[in-house]
Amino acid sequence: MINTEIIANYAKSSAKELGINKYDIYGSSIDETSVEVDKGEPKQVQASNRSSVIVRVWNEKGTVGVTSTTDLDELGIKLALETAKEASSFGNTNNPPDFSPQAKESIENNGDEIVEAAPVPTLIDTLIEAETNLLKAHPAIQGVPYNGLSQEDIKRFYLNSEGSLRQEARSYAVIYLYSRTEEEGKKPRGASSMKISRGLETLDVDGCLKEVTEKTISHINYQTIPSGKYTIVFSPKAFLSLIGSFSNLFNAQNILDKQSLSDLESIGKEVASPLLSLCDDALHPDNIGAETFDGEGTPTRRIELIKDGILGGLLHSSGTAKRMNSQPTGNANIGAKVTVGSHFYHVFSNSEANPQYNLDEAENVIFIDQLQALHVGVNALQGSFSLPFDGWLVNKGKLTSIDAATVAGDYLTLLKSIVCVESEAEVTPGGVCPRVWVKDLSVTGE
């Protein structure tokens, strides 16, 4: 794993030798072991160690040169600094990046969370057992074509020439199962589930198996549905995928680049139903992938994006914050250009007027479990979407799998058409979210 203090010393001595007064370095190192199986036998076993480091150097004119390296010894750091210094002559003079004003602020709860890795045979045996049980669950389940069990240790660091030095290390274990059915006279059906935890011992393998089994069996007997307007119930995963697809709504960099559904005057305006509140909360206790600082060394925190339907905040880097007279939020990713991204969404409702609907009582509503083809079915700048989905037609608690259908609409209209944000939330890898009910969405069926 990376020794941040040694890298800092390499950088300091090399910068002095090269006449560099201002620089920063962000990097990460990943040790990963992963396995895949096929019909009770190991299909692939892979172990890797990957390092990635971004080096930025400012020249006397204030422009920045950027380079990347995977060589973390003294010579590698020196060459990266030298290359970035040369590149700084060609740096953009229009709003060049600078150090985050919060890069040296203290960070709370910055303890490493490293778990001892399980032996590879244990990973293989665990995944084979899960695959075997899934194949036994129903005669129609003929294969688990996509599966995987991995564990990794990630160390991240940030340092700069003004004395900022941050580092953290985390362990993760992830299991993924995707089933496939084969029955004569019927279309192949499938379902998937993924679980993440700190380590293999706490990984909910049984929960992953149960979820994918129940979904697969529920999809075996399917039917077509007529096209029309439906009340849609989005699963937590499906609703979060929509939020992620249209994240330009609250991304300050997108707004400045005029690549957003919002503009500079949007703060304080209603963008959703008063039932909806949304935060980006990197430090949420359920976020296994919590990061305590971003690529600029800014501490992460809970950012209130939408409160009771009102756009209340944006995600910022230090550069966007400076241009918009705000504060960095810990959402910067550094590279050839500093970009802004989310960490971990938290969807909920504060409204006392929020009704509580129940799938056991609902009639003729569609429950969407997973949206497909997000990379081609979303126009993030126009706000439109047209997406195939996996889901069920629900009538008083009875779920009937839908053969093939597409949901389409306008994202901002969808947000304002929310009629219920359920109280019970589910933890997913991308955030914490309950089921969300939306009225009058267009569905194309048979």
Side-chain angles (χ1 to χ4, degrees), residues 230-356:
Y230 289 84
T231 294
I232 303 292
V233 184
F234 288 97
S235 73
K237 181 167 61 175
F239 192 71
L240 288 173
S241 66
L242 266 184
I243 290 175
S245 296
F246 293 98
S247 61
N248 66 40
L249 180 68
F250 40 76
N251 185 308
Q253 187 64 61
N254 290 146
I255 291 174
L256 290 169
D257 292 342
K258 301 188 185 304
Q259 301 288 307
S260 173
L261 297 174
S262 305
D263 56 39
L264 295 173
E265 309 301 323
S266 293
I267 296 293
K269 292 185 178 179
E270 182 180 351
V271 296
S273 161
L275 304 179
L276 180 70
S277 292
L278 169 68
C279 293
D280 180 50
D281 191 358
L283 304 180
H284 192 285
D286 290 319
N287 183 13
I288 296 296
E291 296 180 352
T292 60
F293 58 91
D294 69 1
E296 297 181 315
T298 303
T300 56
R301 68 208 71 178
R302 182 179 176 89
I303 306 300
E304 190 174 79
L305 301 173
I306 298 174
K307 181 178 181 181
D308 301 335
I310 305 298
L311 184 65
L314 302 175
L315 304 180
H316 282 286
S317 65
S318 62
T320 63
K322 182 178 181 180
R323 292 171 65 185
M324 298 179 73
N325 194 28
S326 186
Q327 292 293 319
T329 59
N331 292 90
N333 307 301
I334 70 169
K337 178 182 178 180
V338 177
T339 60
V340 175
S342 63
H343 290 290
F344 189 79
Y345 292 122
H346 182 196
V347 177
F348 57 99
S349 180
N350 285 317
S351 176
E352 294 181 358
N354 183 30
Q356 286 304 304

Side-chain angles (χ1 to χ4, degrees), residues 371-429:
L371 295 166
Q372 308 286 358
L374 288 156
H375 60 295
V376 294
V378 166
N379 188 321
L381 298 184
Q382 293 183 1
S384 61
F385 60 90
S386 181
L387 300 167
F389 63 86
D390 296 333
W392 303 268
L393 184 67
V394 183
N395 276 295
K396 294 188 175 180
K398 180 185 177 182
L399 277 66
T400 303
S401 180
I402 296 171
D403 178 13
T406 300
V407 61
D410 175 80
Y411 179 63
L412 292 177
T413 303
L414 178 151
L415 291 181
K416 291 183 179 180
S417 301
I418 292 172
V419 293
C420 173
V421 178
E422 293 190 9
S423 57
E424 185 175 343
E426 178 183 324
V427 179
T428 77

